[in-house]
Amino acid sequence: QALCRRSHAAWIGRRCRGRMTRPRRDRAPILLLTRDAEGCARWARRLPELGATGLEFPCLDLRFDTSNDTVARLVKALDRATWLAVSSRHGVDAVNACLSAARRSLPSRLRIAAVGPASAGLAHRTFGRVDLQSPKPTAQGLGLALAQRTASSRDRVVIAVADRASRDIEEALQAVDVFADRIELYRTLPAPPALRRRTLGACLQAAAMPNPDVVTLASPSALEGLMARARLTPDLRFATLGPTTSRAVQRHGFPIAAQAARPTLESLVEAVHGLRLLSMPSTDAASSEKPGQSVRPMPPISAARRTLPSELEAESRAKERST
């Protein structure tokens, strides 16, 4: 009888140890996207290539300024300028919208400077050329690169930006006495406040969307729009595109789970993967999930379950001694 108990305890121990040490497959993290509708859709299409999944939850409204005054000012400034600087893809689209409204094209002698590969690629497809791409994909990097190329008081630079954009480009150019003409061609507006502001989890549940692993924020205005649409809870993890957005999140009392080293989607996903918090349950549990259902990390195995084999073996030895 004691031998049977010992064999049974050893069998249970092997079963439990096998379950605990079974490798857990990594899964694609689920990112909540909070940009404008077009930006969310563009990121959602690219995320599967980067090993992640995106949930589109637009929190910004993008509006181009194609009024007669703005279009006339831009056309006049471009005729006198030597450079056009665009700090985002939206800047390229805004310039193109104003030129289309005026039925004009860029002057052939005008050189184009773009902030990064995405903006440069769109500018090349839209205008047919790009003369300068900043090595560092930030507005400050573009300003410094332009300052090195335009160290002459005869140069004039038109900067096409949003109403909330920083003044890093102007400050870099003014430091070398280059004239900078800042023209705000589009507005980035946070989402309007919801009539009934519920928690973010309740909003996603009402839209039949799974819970995200992280909430991504590309700008402080995206945080404003998110807070207007939903009530944020302390259990949310935030991943930001840079330090400016991180400071905005921290000012509202939320911690930062991840911050991109560079202001790109690739760097943001890399930072999220570095959290090492996302893993699938065991193979048996994972196979029981329905397609498209959010799979949550398994809770840690309790101490009672971990000590179960040793307790059984100890009990069997004690009973064996008593017999």
Side-chain angles (χ1 to χ4, degrees):
Q1 187 177 5
L3 182 61
C4 290
R5 290 196 185 99
R6 185 186 305 175
S7 300
H8 182 67
W11 177 78
I12 293 179
R14 287 194 299 271
R15 295 262 307 177
C16 294
R17 284 192 295 272
R19 289 175 183 172
M20 287 187 291
T21 59
R22 177 181 296 175
R24 295 161 64 178
R25 298 185 291 117
D26 291 338
R27 67 171 173 87
I30 303 175
L31 279 60
L32 188 72
L33 308 178
T34 58
R35 306 181 69 197
D36 61 286
E38 181 185 353
C40 287
R42 187 168 60 249
W43 275 18
R45 290 192 298 267
R46 294 183 56 196
L47 280 176
E49 303 174 0
L50 303 175
T53 302
L55 302 177
E56 300 179 31
F57 194 75
C59 295
L60 295 175
D61 185 16
L62 194 68
R63 297 182 184 179
F64 294 156
D65 184 1
T66 56
S67 61
N68 294 333
D69 293 340
T70 301
V71 170
R73 181 188 172 191
L74 177 64
V75 170
K76 182 179 179 180
L78 292 177
D79 289 338
R80 302 170 59 186
T82 56
W83 283 88
L84 168 64
V86 289
S87 59
S88 68
R89 294 173 55 98
H90 298 318
V92 177
D93 291 333
V95 172
N96 190 41
C98 289
L99 292 176
S100 300
R103 298 182 179 179
R104 293 283 300 272
S105 59
L106 286 180
S108 58
R109 60 178 177 79
L110 187 69
R111 287 172 287 182
I112 301 174
V115 72
S119 301
L122 182 60
H124 193 277
R125 292 191 298 270
T126 304
F127 304 126
R129 64 186 185 276
V130 172
D131 302 282
L132 175 64
Q133 177 182 323
S134 60
K136 187 178 180 181
T138 61
Q140 184 180 24
L142 179 60
L144 295 175
L146 269 172
Q148 296 176 355
R149 294 282 297 271
T150 60
S152 172
S153 58
R154 294 174 298 179
D155 286 317
R156 301 174 66 93
V157 180
V158 173
I159 306 172
V161 292
D163 59 333
R164 298 185 175 212
S166 67
R167 297 188 174 271
D168 293 337
I169 303 177
E170 297 100 295
E171 294 173 357
L173 293 174
Q174 290 170 0
V176 293
D177 295 328
V178 173
F179 180 80
D181 191 0
R182 175 191 175 102
I183 304 180
E184 297 176 356
L185 296 182
Y186 62 100
R187 301 176 64 191
T188 304
L189 304 176
L195 296 178
R196 181 187 175 189
R197 201 163 65 103
R198 298 176 293 180
T199 63
L200 180 59
C203 294
L204 298 176
Q205 185 178 6
M209 300 170 67
N211 288 330
D213 296 303
V214 292
V215 178
T216 63
L217 294 169
S219 64
S221 54
L223 175 62
E224 295 180 26
L226 178 62
M227 296 180 68
R229 290 196 60 182
R231 183 161 51 87
L232 306 184
T233 52
D235 60 324
L236 296 174
R237 299 193 193 105
F238 291 95
T240 66
L241 204 60
T244 303
T245 307
S246 295
R247 288 192 292 268
V249 174
Q250 291 170 341
R251 280 196 299 268
H252 286 85
F254 296 103
I256 302 299
Q259 177 181 303
R262 300 174 304 280
T264 62
L265 177 60
E266 292 80 3
S267 182
L268 180 63
V269 175
E270 183 180 353
V272 171
H273 280 299
L275 293 176
R276 300 183 181 277
L277 297 176
L278 311 171
S279 56
M280 286 281 284
S282 63
T283 306
D284 296 339
S287 61
S288 62
E289 297 289 343
K290 298 179 181 179
Q293 183 177 349
S294 177
V295 182
R296 299 185 177 277
M298 287 187 66
I301 302 173
S302 63
R305 182 176 178 180
R306 284 198 301 266
T307 57
L308 179 60
S310 58
E311 289 178 353
L312 287 175
E313 292 177 0
E315 182 182 356
S316 64
R317 293 194 191 100
K319 290 184 178 180
E320 183 180 357
R321 294 192 193 98
S322 63
T323 56

